Amino acid sequence: MKILRFGAAGAEKPGLLDKDGTIRDLSGVVSDITPETLKNGAIAKIAAVDPSTLPAVDPGVRLGPIVEGVRNFIAVGLNYVDHAHETGAAIPSEPILFNKAPNCIVGPNDTVTIPKNSQKTDWEVELAIVIGKTASYIDEADALSYVAGFAVCHDVSERAFQTERGGQWMKGKGSPTFGPLGPWLVTPDEVADVQNLDMFLDLNGTRAQTGNTKTMIFGVAHLVAYISQFLQLDPGDVITTGTPPGVGMGMKPPRFLKDGDSVRLGITGLGEQQQTFRAYKA
């Protein structure tokens, strides 16, 4: 299934993309897609419904973030071999973890704001995992059974804040709008091999990133199990899993986003996003 949320920001409704590409209104089935509804079996309730019986929605409707009320937004750094090489960094021996602010999550096509005083805002197409049930000290062999689904995430990053201002990476990762998430939450049954998905990102119509999840250093199952050794993962938590090569920081010379730039990104089977970047205005 491809589950989504649609409508004006702050007033989204749950929806489903049917096999013909029509958005269907799920409001009569579940109240929303939230940590609470996921915990209480929202995925199973949606799966039991015939999509053709649900009201159709205007195809031009705004798409919101795929989960409302995310509590933990966890990110993995330097998790692609070819991206680590382009940055000149050593291959990590264990996953590098950091936090993105949950309130930076926005819809997949919403405008992204370049932060005040930013000089080095950068792009990163990533595969995101949405947790479906509580996971604590789980084994890698069981890890995928804790996943509600997968999605496209744009891990927007401010590199000067991240690497030049001291302290943790989160300084450059959680500015408002720095987490476009969607367009869909794709359930695992529709993803034949999560470790073999093509990824891309275009900047102003020119290809910048090309990659595949097969070059991950630490795969999805490993990451879910690994993170569960350090904190409890709950329904609705999001893990974004790293980016392939082609980020602005790795270009020669480096290139960063400016007011008016357009970015389009996507992952095979998980859909596409498109954002316009705008400079901060008080």
Side-chain angles (χ1 to χ4, degrees), residues 258-280:
K258 63 184 184 302
D259 184 69
D261 278 345
S262 176
V263 173
R264 186 173 70 95
L265 59 150
I267 301 176
T268 300
L270 304 185
E272 296 185 3
Q273 305 181 353
Q274 184 158 346
Q275 300 106 27
T276 298
F277 281 71
R278 292 298 182 192
Y280 171 84

Side-chain angles (χ1 to χ4, degrees), residues 70-76 98-105 126 153-157 170 172-175 177-180 240:
V70 171
R71 294 165 184 162
N72 284 310
F73 191 6
I74 302 158
V76 184
F98 59 92
N99 290 97
K100 287 179 73 75
N103 65 1
C104 81
I105 295 174
E126 302 201 1
C153 178
H154 193 174
D155 177 19
V156 186
S157 308
M170 63 181 294
K173 294 288 189 171
S175 295
T177 71
F178 266 28
T240 190

Side-chain angles (χ1 to χ4, degrees), residues 47-208:
V49 175
D50 178 355
S52 67
T53 66
L54 301 172
V57 176
D58 180 349
V61 70
R62 170 189 175 268
L63 297 180
I66 54 172
V67 183
E68 168 62 21
V70 171
R71 294 165 184 162
N72 284 310
F73 191 6
I74 302 158
V76 184
L78 292 174
N79 193 37
Y80 282 69
V81 173
D82 33 11
H83 174 54
H85 288 162
E86 79 170 339
T87 65
I91 301 298
S93 58
E94 293 193 41
I96 296 170
L97 305 180
F98 59 92
N99 290 97
K100 287 179 73 75
N103 65 1
C104 81
I105 295 174
V106 292
N109 304 314
D110 288 349
T111 299
V112 176
T113 300
I114 297 171
K116 182 180 181 180
N117 300 320
S118 169
Q119 298 296 321
K120 297 182 179 181
T121 295
D122 203 349
W123 56 84
E124 295 189 29
V125 58
E126 302 201 1
L127 168 74
I129 305 162
V130 178
I131 298 298
K133 61 182 180 179
T134 299
S136 182
Y137 301 115
I138 65 171
D139 295 327
E140 185 171 339
D142 300 324
L144 293 183
S145 70
Y146 291 82
V147 174
F150 303 102
V152 181
C153 178
H154 193 174
D155 177 19
V156 186
S157 308
E158 211 298 340
R159 302 303 189 185
F161 298 174
Q162 176 188 353
T163 64
E164 300 171 19
R165 300 292 297 273
Q168 299 183 356
W169 285 8
M170 63 181 294
K171 287 182 180 178
K173 294 288 189 171
S175 295
T177 71
F178 266 28
L181 189 63
W184 317 310
L185 171 64
V186 182
T187 51
D189 59 292
E190 290 205 9
V191 181
D193 183 359
V194 73
Q195 298 304 157
N196 188 19
L197 300 177
D198 289 329
M199 314 165 72
F200 78 91
L201 183 145
D202 293 343
L203 172 62
N204 297 326
T206 299
R207 185 60 43 94

